[in-house]
Structure formats: structure tokens, C-alpha cells
Amino acid sequence: VGNNVYLRGLIEYSNNCSKNCFYCGIRGDNELNVKYVMDDDEVLEAAKFALDNDFGSIAIQAGERSDRNFTKKITDLLHKIREISGGELGITLSLGEQSEEVFKEWFDAGAHRYLLRIEASDKDLYSKLHPKDHIYDDRIKNLKLLRKVGYQVGTGVMVGLPWQSYENLADDILFMKSIDIDMCGMGPYIEHRDTPLWEHKDILKPQKERFELTLKMIALLRIIMKDINIVASTAMQTLDPHGREKAIAVGANIIMPNLTPLKYREGYLIYENKPNLNEEIVETKIALEKSLAQVGAQIVYKKWGDSKHFKERNKTK
């Protein structure tokens, strides 16, 4: 994919979540996490900022909900974003498992990329990360539904989980190859004290080792799936101030600057010590341009940066 890097302005729409994943700080049962939902105007202002600053794309992320109030609100926001941007902004969603009808509704409203992370492709490990009502086969079914609807489909895993072996990580890469993903978002597992997995922190690899393992996973995935999009995650920056740049240097090509209003950012702590909670986005943009140049990469503005893999697959249809 060359040395081009594409931006996805991240909008963390809400931390309300119906799920209770054992690793996640915004899990529904975490009463210490104050819930929020962004106002429509705040979402549209963030989208407008992305447009005015030539980001090319945005990504809307939220805790997982499937009630009609939520899904309809997302549909309405997608229509409004498409209207204010004249269809110029690319839109990625990461909003969990939904029905085929909802996926299609959002696709028709303007979203065209969807990230649904598997977190662990091994069934046994997956079951240790989630309550019994989180069904592995449903996750796989949803990934297939997204492809059926027409999305560019992304998934990803956490690296350095409790009980995770090197064989698990190798299988994660082979899993992504086998389902033929278009994009990947993966990062190091970072523990959160308000989650059930916190009690297993003593068996974790050191954070430095988890970071280096993630770099190796990105590099291997780039070798095996040469033309997909790979995100340099914020979690990489959490463990290393230059983590995103190092991820770009070994094969990632997507960065997601946070456009969420500052007042909400502490409410969206999936893991601890998340960076940039008080950093204004203009500062981030300037710093990114300089730091990426040092690793031989450049930001491409005003482009969606769609997956080349997706385009090539659809040429053959």
C-alpha cells in the first residue's frame, strides 16, 4: 500500500453498552463509568471538523446497543453527515453486532466500512473474555452479514491477553486471511482495574513485550495480506509515545485522531491510561505530520483511503 497514511476522525458517540465483555472498561455493569451520549450537534460538529480539515473519513464508535432508538438515531446521523458533507466524507462504523436489516439500513444511509473485532479467534479463549450470552458463532455470522450487505469488512484481535499463546496469535492471522478481511484494527491488551480480567493481571506479559508482539503481528499481517488497511491503534500510543508511528513503519496505514469532545473522553476508557484525553485535535494533526515524516510516511488528505483489497476482490465479480 506504499507509504501513504489515511486519517479516520474518531467519534466516540456513546459509552452506553448492553454487553459485559470481561476486558472492557465501558462494559454495561461498570457502574463507576458515567454514561454519556453525544448530542446530534456535537456529532455533526466533529464531522464538519473532519471535512474542513481534509481528513477524508470519519469513524463512529460506541458501546454496543441494538434497540431501535439507538439504531434509528445512527441512521438519522448518517443521513445528516452525508448531507452536510455532500457525500465527501467516508464513514466507518464500529457499533457491534446487529441484524442484517440494520446493517443494510446503515449502509444505505451512507456508511461503507464496518469494524467488528473478534478480539480472539480461538473459541475457548473467546469464551474466557466474554459472558455466556456472547456467542462466538454469532460474531462470525455478523462478519459474513457485513460482507453480504456490501461493506468493507474489518476485524481484529487483542495481543497479549491472559491465557493467549503464540499459537493463538498465529491462528488469529490465519483467521483473518481465511475470512478475507478488508481492514484490520488490532492492538495490545491493556488491563483496566474495573473489569473482571483485572484479577489476572499477574499472569500478563510485560506491557513492553505486548507492544513488541503487536508490532510483529502488524508486520506479519501486512506480509500475508499485502493490500488491506491496517490501523495504527491508539493503544499502541498508550504503551509507547511513538507507538502509532512505529506501527506505521512496520505496515499499518490508517490513523484515527480522536474528534470526540474533550468533556466525554474520560468516559470512553476501554482500557487505562488512554492518551490524548486533553489534547486538541489541531495539535495532534500538526504533530502527526512531523512524526510520520520521520518514518517515511505521509498523510493523504481529502481521500477516503478505501481498502485496495476490497476493490480488487470486487473487480472479479
Side-chain angles (χ1 to χ4, degrees):
V1 296
N3 294 322
N4 291 335
V5 174
Y6 299 94
L7 302 181
R8 313 272 188 255
L10 179 62
I11 302 172
E12 295 165 332
Y13 172 63
S14 172
N15 64 355
N16 280 331
C17 191
S18 64
K19 293 292 186 82
N20 269 301
C21 305
F22 296 150
Y23 53 82
C24 183
I26 69 167
R27 61 197 306 269
D29 285 352
N30 182 9
E31 296 178 355
L32 298 176
N33 197 35
V34 179
K35 305 303 182 187
Y36 76 85
V37 180
M38 287 176 62
D39 294 337
D40 287 12
D41 288 345
E42 292 172 325
V43 174
L44 297 178
E45 185 178 339
K48 185 72 164 47
F49 180 93
L51 182 69
D52 292 344
N53 285 272
D54 302 326
F55 275 35
S57 293
I58 58 171
I60 300 175
Q61 179 175 300
E64 187 167 332
R65 289 172 53 188
S66 57
D67 57 279
R68 187 54 185 157
N69 285 341
F70 175 78
T71 61
K72 177 68 164 56
K73 172 58 71 176
I74 296 297
T75 303
D76 292 344
L77 285 169
L78 289 170
H79 282 299
K80 290 176 181 177
I81 291 167
R82 189 159 64 173
E83 182 181 348
I84 66 168
S85 71
E88 289 185 27
L89 274 179
I91 302 175
T92 302
L93 297 180
S94 184
L95 302 172
E97 297 173 8
Q98 304 291 340
S99 67
E100 181 177 350
E101 292 73 24
V102 168
F103 285 146
K104 187 172 189 312
E105 181 178 309
W106 289 346
F107 185 83
D108 292 341
H112 64 285
R113 294 184 294 245
Y114 204 105
L115 177 65
L116 184 65
R117 288 174 41 149
I118 192 78
E119 303 300 2
S121 66
D122 179 82
K123 267 191 176 184
D124 290 337
L125 182 54
Y126 186 93
S127 69
K128 293 176 180 177
L129 306 178
H130 302 92
K132 288 189 167 76
D133 63 342
H134 296 42
I135 301 169
Y136 178 91
D137 290 341
D138 285 349
R139 206 70 163 178
I140 302 298
K141 177 185 174 184
N142 271 252
L143 286 167
K144 292 177 179 177
L145 284 176
L146 288 164
R147 172 65 48 73
K148 177 183 175 184
V149 170
Y151 286 95
Q152 295 172 46
V153 181
T155 194
V157 297
M158 288 181 286
V159 179
L161 286 160
W163 315 292
Q164 185 182 57
S165 67
Y166 294 119
E167 288 80 6
N168 289 148
L169 291 171
D171 286 341
D172 286 338
I173 291 178
L174 295 176
F175 168 82
M176 289 186 265
K177 173 72 172 175
S178 70
I179 64 171
D180 200 29
I181 60 170
D182 303 303
M183 56 190 196
C184 176
M186 63 180 165
Y189 167 66
I190 302 173
E191 58 273 33
H192 192 300
R193 69 182 62 249
D194 299 327
T195 66
L197 279 196
W198 177 257
E199 66 180 274
H200 303 291
K201 64 184 182 301
D202 294 338
I203 66 171
L204 293 172
K205 291 179 174 63
Q207 288 191 344
K208 185 175 186 293
E209 189 174 339
R210 281 177 258 165
F211 175 82
E212 291 171 351
L213 264 178
T214 307
L215 287 179
K216 292 177 181 179
M217 287 286 286
I218 290 171
L220 284 167
L221 185 61
R222 174 58 70 205
I223 291 168
I224 292 170
M225 302 191 76
K226 297 183 184 303
D227 56 356
I228 66 169
N229 282 342
I230 302 177
V231 176
S233 70
T234 306
M236 297 296 280
Q237 188 184 6
T238 303
L239 298 189
D240 185 308
H242 305 292
R244 289 185 299 188
E245 292 81 0
K246 290 179 179 180
I248 294 293
V250 301
N253 67 319
I254 304 291
I255 285 182
M256 300 172 65
N258 198 338
L259 303 186
T260 308
L262 296 180
K263 65 181 180 180
Y264 296 126
R265 292 190 192 177
E266 288 193 3
Y268 209 90
L269 295 183
I270 294 173
Y271 49 83
E272 294 196 338
N273 301 317
K274 188 175 174 183
N276 302 331
L277 293 182
N278 299 301
E279 185 176 58
E280 295 290 353
I281 188 59
V282 174
E283 300 170 4
T284 303
K285 182 181 171 186
I286 294 169
L288 272 176
E289 288 178 347
K290 292 180 179 178
S291 60
L292 288 174
Q294 292 174 354
V295 295
Q298 63 177 2
I299 298 172
V300 179
Y301 291 107
K302 295 186 178 182
K303 297 288 186 184
W304 286 8
D306 279 342
S307 167
K308 290 185 177 182
H309 191 74
F310 177 83
K311 293 175 182 176
E312 288 299 316
R313 184 196 307 110
N314 284 274
K315 275 184 188 177
T316 64
K317 289 186 177 178

mmCIF file of all heavy atoms in Angstrom, residues 11 41-55 58 81 84-85 89 259:
data_model
loop_
_atom_site.group_PDB
_atom_site.id
_atom_site.type_symbol
_atom_site.label_atom_id
_atom_site.label_comp_id
_atom_site.label_asym_id
_atom_site.label_seq_id
_atom_site.Cartn_x
_atom_site.Cartn_y
_atom_site.Cartn_z
ATOM 1 N N ILE A 11 -15.063 9.419 16.285
ATOM 2 C CA ILE A 11 -16.139 9.998 17.094
ATOM 3 C C ILE A 11 -16.661 8.906 18.018
ATOM 4 O O ILE A 11 -17.307 7.950 17.579
ATOM 5 C CB ILE A 11 -17.277 10.541 16.202
ATOM 6 C CG1 ILE A 11 -16.741 11.603 15.231
ATOM 7 C CG2 ILE A 11 -18.408 11.115 17.059
ATOM 8 C CD1 ILE A 11 -17.763 12.049 14.185
ATOM 9 N N ASP A 41 -25.757 17.709 17.479
ATOM 10 C CA ASP A 41 -24.951 18.846 17.031
ATOM 11 C C ASP A 41 -23.468 18.608 17.269
ATOM 12 O O ASP A 41 -22.625 19.036 16.473
ATOM 13 C CB ASP A 41 -25.389 20.129 17.746
ATOM 14 C CG ASP A 41 -26.741 20.634 17.258
ATOM 15 O OD1 ASP A 41 -27.201 20.164 16.190
ATOM 16 O OD2 ASP A 41 -27.328 21.491 17.934
ATOM 17 N N GLU A 42 -23.135 17.919 18.370
ATOM 18 C CA GLU A 42 -21.730 17.632 18.662
ATOM 19 C C GLU A 42 -21.155 16.638 17.652
ATOM 20 O O GLU A 42 -20.008 16.772 17.217
ATOM 21 C CB GLU A 42 -21.606 17.083 20.085
ATOM 22 C CG GLU A 42 -21.918 18.115 21.160
ATOM 23 C CD GLU A 42 -21.982 17.516 22.542
ATOM 24 O OE1 GLU A 42 -22.443 16.364 22.692
ATOM 25 O OE2 GLU A 42 -21.561 18.195 23.500
ATOM 26 N N VAL A 43 -21.951 15.656 17.273
ATOM 27 C CA VAL A 43 -21.505 14.686 16.265
ATOM 28 C C VAL A 43 -21.279 15.390 14.932
ATOM 29 O O VAL A 43 -20.251 15.202 14.268
ATOM 30 C CB VAL A 43 -22.534 13.552 16.101
ATOM 31 C CG1 VAL A 43 -22.133 12.632 14.950
ATOM 32 C CG2 VAL A 43 -22.678 12.760 17.393
ATOM 33 N N LEU A 44 -22.241 16.234 14.552
ATOM 34 C CA LEU A 44 -22.142 16.923 13.267
ATOM 35 C C LEU A 44 -20.993 17.928 13.259
ATOM 36 O O LEU A 44 -20.330 18.125 12.238
ATOM 37 C CB LEU A 44 -23.464 17.616 12.943
ATOM 38 C CG LEU A 44 -24.662 16.668 12.758
ATOM 39 C CD1 LEU A 44 -25.941 17.459 12.498
ATOM 40 C CD2 LEU A 44 -24.417 15.677 11.627
ATOM 41 N N GLU A 45 -20.734 18.547 14.404
ATOM 42 C CA GLU A 45 -19.603 19.478 14.509
ATOM 43 C C GLU A 45 -18.279 18.739 14.318
ATOM 44 O O GLU A 45 -17.365 19.229 13.643
ATOM 45 C CB GLU A 45 -19.627 20.175 15.870
ATOM 46 C CG GLU A 45 -18.575 21.251 16.028
ATOM 47 C CD GLU A 45 -18.656 21.959 17.371
ATOM 48 O OE1 GLU A 45 -19.726 21.906 18.015
ATOM 49 O OE2 GLU A 45 -17.643 22.549 17.778
ATOM 50 N N ALA A 46 -18.175 17.538 14.905
ATOM 51 C CA ALA A 46 -16.960 16.739 14.745
ATOM 52 C C ALA A 46 -16.791 16.310 13.288
ATOM 53 O O ALA A 46 -15.682 16.351 12.735
ATOM 54 C CB ALA A 46 -17.018 15.508 15.652
ATOM 55 N N ALA A 47 -17.887 15.911 12.651
ATOM 56 C CA ALA A 47 -17.832 15.525 11.242
ATOM 57 C C ALA A 47 -17.434 16.713 10.374
ATOM 58 O O ALA A 47 -16.640 16.582 9.433
ATOM 59 C CB ALA A 47 -19.180 14.965 10.800
ATOM 60 N N LYS A 48 -17.974 17.875 10.713
ATOM 61 C CA LYS A 48 -17.654 19.089 9.950
ATOM 62 C C LYS A 48 -16.169 19.443 10.119
ATOM 63 O O LYS A 48 -15.512 19.883 9.173
ATOM 64 C CB LYS A 48 -18.537 20.239 10.440
ATOM 65 C CG LYS A 48 -18.407 21.541 9.654
ATOM 66 C CD LYS A 48 -19.039 21.426 8.286
ATOM 67 C CE LYS A 48 -19.288 22.767 7.624
ATOM 68 N NZ LYS A 48 -18.189 23.721 7.659
ATOM 69 N N PHE A 49 -15.648 19.229 11.312
ATOM 70 C CA PHE A 49 -14.220 19.476 11.533
ATOM 71 C C PHE A 49 -13.381 18.572 10.641
ATOM 72 O O PHE A 49 -12.404 19.011 10.032
ATOM 73 C CB PHE A 49 -13.861 19.244 13.006
ATOM 74 C CG PHE A 49 -12.409 19.476 13.306
ATOM 75 C CD1 PHE A 49 -11.976 20.716 13.737
ATOM 76 C CD2 PHE A 49 -11.468 18.471 13.129
ATOM 77 C CE1 PHE A 49 -10.624 20.948 13.996
ATOM 78 C CE2 PHE A 49 -10.127 18.683 13.379
ATOM 79 C CZ PHE A 49 -9.700 19.935 13.817
ATOM 80 N N ALA A 50 -13.756 17.299 10.584
ATOM 81 C CA ALA A 50 -13.034 16.360 9.720
ATOM 82 C C ALA A 50 -13.078 16.812 8.271
ATOM 83 O O ALA A 50 -12.068 16.781 7.566
ATOM 84 C CB ALA A 50 -13.623 14.955 9.866
ATOM 85 N N LEU A 51 -14.245 17.262 7.843
ATOM 86 C CA LEU A 51 -14.405 17.725 6.461
ATOM 87 C C LEU A 51 -13.553 18.961 6.200
ATOM 88 O O LEU A 51 -12.812 19.032 5.204
ATOM 89 C CB LEU A 51 -15.878 18.030 6.193
ATOM 90 C CG LEU A 51 -16.236 18.493 4.782
ATOM 91 C CD1 LEU A 51 -16.062 17.359 3.785
ATOM 92 C CD2 LEU A 51 -17.686 19.011 4.746
ATOM 93 N N ASP A 52 -13.639 19.939 7.096
ATOM 94 C CA ASP A 52 -12.916 21.206 6.915
ATOM 95 C C ASP A 52 -11.404 21.030 6.973
ATOM 96 O O ASP A 52 -10.650 21.828 6.412
ATOM 97 C CB ASP A 52 -13.351 22.227 7.976
ATOM 98 C CG ASP A 52 -14.793 22.682 7.792
ATOM 99 O OD1 ASP A 52 -15.346 22.459 6.698
ATOM 100 O OD2 ASP A 52 -15.363 23.246 8.747
ATOM 101 N N ASN A 53 -10.958 19.978 7.684
ATOM 102 C CA ASN A 53 -9.520 19.730 7.815
ATOM 103 C C ASN A 53 -9.032 18.610 6.895
ATOM 104 O O ASN A 53 -7.941 18.075 7.087
ATOM 105 C CB ASN A 53 -9.182 19.424 9.272
ATOM 106 C CG ASN A 53 -9.208 20.676 10.135
ATOM 107 O OD1 ASN A 53 -8.211 21.380 10.256
ATOM 108 N ND2 ASN A 53 -10.366 20.968 10.723
ATOM 109 N N ASP A 54 -9.857 18.271 5.907
ATOM 110 C CA ASP A 54 -9.464 17.374 4.809
ATOM 111 C C ASP A 54 -9.111 15.964 5.256
ATOM 112 O O ASP A 54 -8.304 15.283 4.625
ATOM 113 C CB ASP A 54 -8.278 17.974 4.034
ATOM 114 C CG ASP A 54 -8.589 19.355 3.469
ATOM 115 O OD1 ASP A 54 -9.754 19.586 3.091
ATOM 116 O OD2 ASP A 54 -7.669 20.191 3.413
ATOM 117 N N PHE A 55 -9.740 15.497 6.352
ATOM 118 C CA PHE A 55 -9.443 14.149 6.831
ATOM 119 C C PHE A 55 -9.844 13.075 5.815
ATOM 120 O O PHE A 55 -9.235 12.018 5.754
ATOM 121 C CB PHE A 55 -10.188 13.877 8.145
ATOM 122 C CG PHE A 55 -9.461 14.364 9.366
ATOM 123 C CD1 PHE A 55 -8.700 15.523 9.331
ATOM 124 C CD2 PHE A 55 -9.552 13.674 10.553
ATOM 125 C CE1 PHE A 55 -8.039 15.973 10.462
ATOM 126 C CE2 PHE A 55 -8.887 14.110 11.694
ATOM 127 C CZ PHE A 55 -8.133 15.262 11.640
ATOM 128 N N ILE A 58 -14.425 9.631 8.535
ATOM 129 C CA ILE A 58 -14.645 9.570 9.979
ATOM 130 C C ILE A 58 -14.967 8.128 10.359
ATOM 131 O O ILE A 58 -15.300 7.302 9.512
ATOM 132 C CB ILE A 58 -15.795 10.492 10.445
ATOM 133 C CG1 ILE A 58 -17.109 10.128 9.736
ATOM 134 C CG2 ILE A 58 -15.445 11.950 10.243
ATOM 135 C CD1 ILE A 58 -18.325 10.844 10.301
ATOM 136 N N ILE A 81 -24.881 13.548 8.214
ATOM 137 C CA ILE A 81 -23.456 13.684 7.877
ATOM 138 C C ILE A 81 -23.270 13.690 6.369
ATOM 139 O O ILE A 81 -22.493 14.483 5.825
ATOM 140 C CB ILE A 81 -22.645 12.547 8.533
ATOM 141 C CG1 ILE A 81 -22.610 12.727 10.059
ATOM 142 C CG2 ILE A 81 -21.211 12.498 7.978
ATOM 143 C CD1 ILE A 81 -22.117 11.521 10.820
ATOM 144 N N ILE A 84 -24.420 17.223 5.146
ATOM 145 C CA ILE A 84 -23.556 18.385 5.392
ATOM 146 C C ILE A 84 -22.215 18.264 4.650
ATOM 147 O O ILE A 84 -21.560 19.265 4.389
ATOM 148 C CB ILE A 84 -23.288 18.603 6.897
ATOM 149 C CG1 ILE A 84 -22.469 17.452 7.491
ATOM 150 C CG2 ILE A 84 -24.580 18.824 7.665
ATOM 151 C CD1 ILE A 84 -21.931 17.742 8.885
ATOM 152 N N SER A 85 -21.827 17.034 4.319
ATOM 153 C CA SER A 85 -20.542 16.846 3.640
ATOM 154 C C SER A 85 -20.700 16.678 2.130
ATOM 155 O O SER A 85 -19.705 16.533 1.418
ATOM 156 C CB SER A 85 -19.816 15.621 4.198
ATOM 157 O OG SER A 85 -20.454 14.423 3.806
ATOM 158 N N LEU A 89 -17.404 12.778 2.842
ATOM 159 C CA LEU A 89 -16.748 12.072 3.943
ATOM 160 C C LEU A 89 -16.992 10.571 3.848
ATOM 161 O O LEU A 89 -18.135 10.124 3.742
ATOM 162 C CB LEU A 89 -17.284 12.566 5.289
ATOM 163 C CG LEU A 89 -16.644 13.794 5.929
ATOM 164 C CD1 LEU A 89 -17.354 14.117 7.239
ATOM 165 C CD2 LEU A 89 -15.152 13.609 6.169
ATOM 166 N N LEU A 259 -11.728 12.871 17.545
ATOM 167 C CA LEU A 259 -12.505 14.110 17.403
ATOM 168 C C LEU A 259 -13.590 14.235 18.468
ATOM 169 O O LEU A 259 -14.373 15.186 18.441
ATOM 170 C CB LEU A 259 -13.169 14.158 16.015
ATOM 171 C CG LEU A 259 -12.252 14.051 14.801
ATOM 172 C CD1 LEU A 259 -13.056 14.254 13.523
ATOM 173 C CD2 LEU A 259 -11.119 15.054 14.877
#
